[in-house]
Amino acid sequence: MEGPLIAVLLLVGLLIGSGVGSAYARARRGWADYQTVKKTVPTARKTAWLLIRGVTTKVGVVALLLIGAVAYAAVAPDDDEAAGPVPGPSATSSERPGR
């Protein structure tokens, strides 16, 4: 009677042990992957901020140039008003009036 009982207990122990062992192995692999990714995050974060800073700087320079151009155009004198009156066509002395 002890032989089959020991065999059943051994089988149950093997099933439980293999389930727990595979879960433990999966957890260890996940932890190792997490640690690897965690080490690369500061580098990726630095790179992302560097790219964001570069794009923001370029957009800011373009925006300042556009604002400056608009301000210059708003303050600059109008060419039509600065030139004064334009003389109209006049008759030359070689032409006789009436013909």
Side-chain angles (χ1 to χ4, degrees):
M1 181 86 173
E2 289 182 13
L5 181 62
I6 292 177
V8 169
L9 290 176
L10 182 62
L11 185 62
V12 170
L14 284 174
L15 288 174
I16 292 173
S18 65
V20 171
S22 65
Y24 177 76
R26 197 171 343 143
R28 291 289 295 176
R29 281 194 308 268
W31 182 253
D33 291 344
Y34 168 75
Q35 292 299 323
T36 304
V37 170
K38 184 180 172 185
K39 289 177 186 173
T40 62
V41 166
T43 305
R45 186 180 297 148
K46 261 192 243 181
T47 305
W49 277 115
L50 186 69
L51 290 173
I52 289 170
R53 192 174 329 147
V55 168
T56 304
T57 302
K58 287 180 183 180
V59 168
V61 167
V62 170
L64 286 175
L65 287 173
L66 288 174
I67 290 170
V70 168
Y72 177 76
V75 174
D78 206 8
D79 289 340
D80 294 337
E81 295 172 2
V86 178
S90 60
T92 60
S93 60
S94 64
E95 295 179 12
R96 286 197 280 179
R99 276 197 176 197

